[in-house]
């Protein structure tokens, strides 16, 4: 292995929405930040995976609950135009006092290629060092702490030294390598084969397989149809290979069927990473659960809503982002510490941005997360636009769900 070729204050592993948010937050705190990504673009499932619905920042009752970088990235994603629905009631209106549960929710559809490029430019402007084609394959430790993350790239095998590490790999890869407690999804993943196609001059996102977009608003009457009964855990080389092969075959079948009616239809983009929702997560100091709905956490680092239904609001405790077993590692995105039912709520893009901002800020502020001054962390998050507690929001209008 080559010598420790690179040092940074904060090493963000994974460049999906969680990693982008973490790197932004840490760089804005004046830290030297390196982001490593095994693909060659930013965005993870939200770009390479063609999942381009930025689910809601609001509770569906007229109140925005996720702020800060979660909102900044949503606005960035459509800064050159939305791909579909544009929630003007949120984006163009500063007067939110009259929004109710009857309003469209605060979410957008964006173009994946544009977002990947815009996010890259933003991170470079903030001074983040990007390392593409870098696969984190090992860690070295002293005692419980991570010293270096070892990466494989076209340059060979190198170690990157960091004071703190953010695991934004989606699969808790770094937590697993570092020996932190983790848990895997017992249900596995349904096959999804989302792809873009072009026909009759228009570009369409085909959400083949299960879609996370509630049918009530986005595809009236459409029920998800499983493409196969087989489930995929997403954590084994042969399993993910099979998943990609099955996805490709189902896209081919779909396109052949559609071309029988219109021979001009062609696929224009297929996912370059497996479309897995939940694989492995850290088993942190606290597992956030559905029972925590509307609960006030003293160590809240932001709030999220439930993309599937209107009403629920969850405060995200800092203790769900780390395990004391590896004190300089913090997790963000779809691998934070949650119960299995809660995982389905927390894995979506706005939640990944909320936990990313919190993780990146924490990683910039301390080297030992169990000992971190959470009040100081919260003060920085608030200065940067995050609202921490539900009781800081305006009261709900026409609320059907009681607290
Ligand atoms: C079919 C499907 C539909 C979905 N629908 C929606 C939807 O409509 N709206 C919504 O908001 N969410 C949806 N989601 C969920 C959402 O897209 C993801 O959960 C979210 O984007 C995850 O972000 P993340 O940053 O945590 O992880 P990821 O996007 O998975 O990013 C992790 C990044 O880390 C990199 N990485 C992983 N391991 C390593 C390593 N060892 N070394 C270096 N890099 C590594 C990966 O290449 C990747 O770029 C859907 C997911 C799926 C699969």
């Amino acid at each position: 292995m080559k010598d420790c070729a690179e040092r940074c204050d904060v090493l963000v592993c994974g460049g999906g929405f969680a990693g982008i948010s973490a790197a932004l937050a840490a760089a804005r705190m004046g830290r030297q930040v390196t982001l490593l990504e095994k693909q060659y673009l930013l965005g993870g499932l939200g770009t390479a995976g063609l999942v381009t619905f930025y689910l809601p920042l609001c509770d569906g009752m007229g109140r925005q609950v996720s702020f800060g970088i979660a909102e900044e990235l949503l606005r960035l994603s459509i800064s050159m135009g939305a791909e579909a629905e544009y929630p003007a009631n949120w984006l163009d209106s500063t007067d939110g006092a009259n929004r109710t549960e009857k309003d469209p929710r605060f979410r957008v559809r964006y173009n994946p290629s544009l977002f990947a490029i815009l996010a890259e430019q933003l991170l470079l402007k903030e001074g983040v060092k990007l390392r593409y084609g870098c696969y984190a394959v090992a860690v070295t430790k002293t005692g419980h702490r991570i010293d270096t993350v070892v990466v494989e790239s076209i340059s060979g095998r190198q170690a990157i030294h960091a004071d703190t590490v953010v695991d934004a790999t989606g699969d808790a890869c770094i937590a697993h390598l570092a020996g932190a407690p983790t848990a895997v999804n017992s249900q596995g993943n349904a096959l999804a084969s989302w792809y873009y196609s072009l026909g009759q001059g228009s570009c369409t996102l085909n959400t083949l397989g299960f879609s996370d977009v509630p049918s009530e608003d986005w595809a009236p009457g459409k029920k998800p149809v499983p493409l196969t009964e087989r489930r995929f855990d997403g954590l084994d080389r042969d399993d993910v290979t099979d998943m990609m092969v099955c996805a490709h075959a189902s896209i081919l079948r779909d396109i052949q069927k559609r071309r029988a009616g219109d021979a001009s239809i062609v696929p224009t983009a297929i996912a370059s990473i497996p479309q897995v929702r939940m694989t492995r997560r850290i088993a942190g100091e606290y597992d956030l659960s559905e029972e925590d709905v509307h609960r006030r956490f003293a160590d809240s680092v932001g709030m999220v809503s439930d993309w599937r239904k209107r009403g629920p609001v969850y405060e995200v405790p800092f203790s769900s982002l780390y395990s004391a077993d590896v004190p300089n590692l913090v997790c963000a995105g779809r691998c934070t510490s949650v119960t299995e039912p809660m995982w389905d709520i927390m894995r979506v893009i706005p939640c990944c941005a909320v936990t990313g901002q919190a993780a990146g800020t924490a990683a910039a502020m301390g080297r030992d997360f169990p000992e971190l001054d959470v009040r100081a962390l919260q003060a920085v998050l608030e200065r940067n636009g995050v609202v921490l507690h539900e009781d800081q929001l305006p009261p709900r209008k026409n609320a059907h769900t009681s607290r």
Side-chain angles (χ1 to χ4, degrees):
M1 186 170 65
K2 289 186 184 171
D3 287 343
C4 183
E6 188 166 337
R7 288 180 176 274
C8 59
D9 299 326
V10 177
L11 179 61
V12 178
C13 301
F17 274 79
I20 293 168
S21 306
L24 263 184
R28 286 174 177 165
M29 299 282 290
R31 296 289 179 267
Q32 287 186 323
V33 180
T34 296
L35 183 151
L36 57 96
E37 167 54 55
K38 65 183 177 181
Q39 305 293 323
Y40 291 86
L41 80 173
L42 294 172
L45 279 162
T47 57
L50 303 182
V51 171
T52 53
F53 294 95
Y54 204 122
L55 284 171
L57 300 179
C58 70
D59 67 353
M61 310 302 288
R63 301 183 309 174
Q64 183 173 347
V65 302
S66 302
F67 297 84
I69 289 176
E71 179 176 349
E72 179 182 349
L73 293 185
L74 179 144
R75 289 181 182 272
L76 179 73
S77 75
I78 52 158
S79 55
M80 293 178 70
E83 247 192 20
E85 192 175 326
Y86 177 88
N89 62 326
W90 292 97
L91 291 164
D92 300 340
S93 160
T94 49
D95 175 23
N98 293 319
R99 290 190 201 110
T100 70
E101 79 267 41
K102 304 261 187 270
D103 275 86
R105 292 185 76 173
F106 191 178
R107 64 188 177 195
V108 297
R109 250 196 65 200
Y110 57 91
N111 179 275
S113 309
L114 282 175
F115 178 76
I117 297 169
L118 291 168
E120 181 180 272
Q121 292 191 346
L122 178 61
L123 290 194
L124 292 174
K125 192 180 100 202
E126 298 287 352
V128 175
K129 275 191 192 160
L130 294 178
R131 297 288 179 257
Y132 286 145
C134 282
Y135 203 135
V137 293
V139 301
T140 62
K141 288 167 72 180
T142 299
H144 295 293
R145 300 176 60 81
I146 297 175
D147 286 328
T148 68
V149 173
V150 180
V151 301
E152 298 271 8
S153 74
I154 192 150
S155 304
R157 182 168 258 241
Q158 289 177 320
I160 304 178
H161 177 91
D163 292 335
T164 51
V165 179
V166 179
D167 186 340
T169 61
D171 301 324
C173 288
I174 310 301
H176 177 66
L177 292 169
T182 55
V184 297
N185 172 17
S186 69
Q187 306 294 314
N189 289 270
L191 182 66
S193 314
W194 292 22
Y195 72 100
Y196 276 89
S197 63
L198 186 67
Q200 305 284 349
S202 72
C203 190
T204 311
L205 174 63
N206 306 282
T207 57
L208 198 58
F210 280 116
S211 164
D212 295 345
V213 179
S215 55
E216 55 161 9
D217 321 78
W218 291 87
K222 194 179 166 202
K223 290 267 187 294
V225 181
L227 292 166
T228 162
E229 294 307 319
R230 180 168 168 191
R231 310 288 291 194
F232 300 87
D233 67 28
L235 292 171
D236 169 87
R237 180 197 58 195
D238 295 341
D239 177 84
V240 287
T241 302
D242 283 356
M243 187 180 193
M244 292 307 275
V245 169
C246 288
H248 296 160
S250 57
I251 291 169
L252 190 62
R253 278 196 302 277
D254 194 59
I255 210 84
Q256 281 168 335
K257 204 164 76 195
R258 294 171 63 212
R259 278 170 66 89
D262 178 353
S264 74
I265 297 175
V266 285
T268 51
I270 60 175
S272 53
I273 58 175
Q275 291 171 333
V276 284
R277 290 172 164 90
M278 295 166 278
T279 54
R280 181 171 52 208
R281 62 170 179 83
I282 195 164
E285 295 306 299
Y286 186 77
D287 285 344
L288 187 63
S289 103
E290 281 185 304
E291 282 74 54
D292 293 322
V293 65
H294 303 303
R295 173 167 170 197
R296 192 179 205 285
F297 282 100
D299 65 340
S300 171
V301 288
M303 284 180 285
V304 300
S305 61
D306 187 338
W307 58 274
R308 305 166 307 182
K309 55 180 185 243
R310 294 172 183 263
V313 175
Y314 297 89
E315 296 186 5
V316 181
F318 182 53
S319 48
S320 65
L321 304 190
Y322 68 88
S323 159
D325 290 19
V326 185
N328 64 338
L329 175 70
V330 63
C331 286
R334 63 185 173 88
C335 55
T336 58
S337 196
V338 287
T339 60
E340 202 147 299
M342 188 66 197
W343 210 342
D344 194 40
I345 297 173
M346 280 300 288
R347 70 187 167 80
V348 298
I349 291 171
C351 310
C352 294
V354 167
T355 54
Q357 181 171 7
T361 307
M365 290 180 70
R367 296 171 170 215
D368 192 332
F369 299 119
E371 299 299 322
L372 191 75
D373 180 347
V374 176
R375 293 265 178 277
L377 169 65
Q378 291 173 317
V380 174
L381 289 169
E382 285 191 301
R383 268 206 306 283
N384 292 325
V386 174
V387 180
L388 301 172
H389 299 292
E390 192 177 4
D391 57 23
Q392 295 172 292
L393 297 174
R396 293 195 301 206
K397 300 224 164 183
N398 305 335
H400 291 318
T401 325
S402 56
R403 289 180 73 175

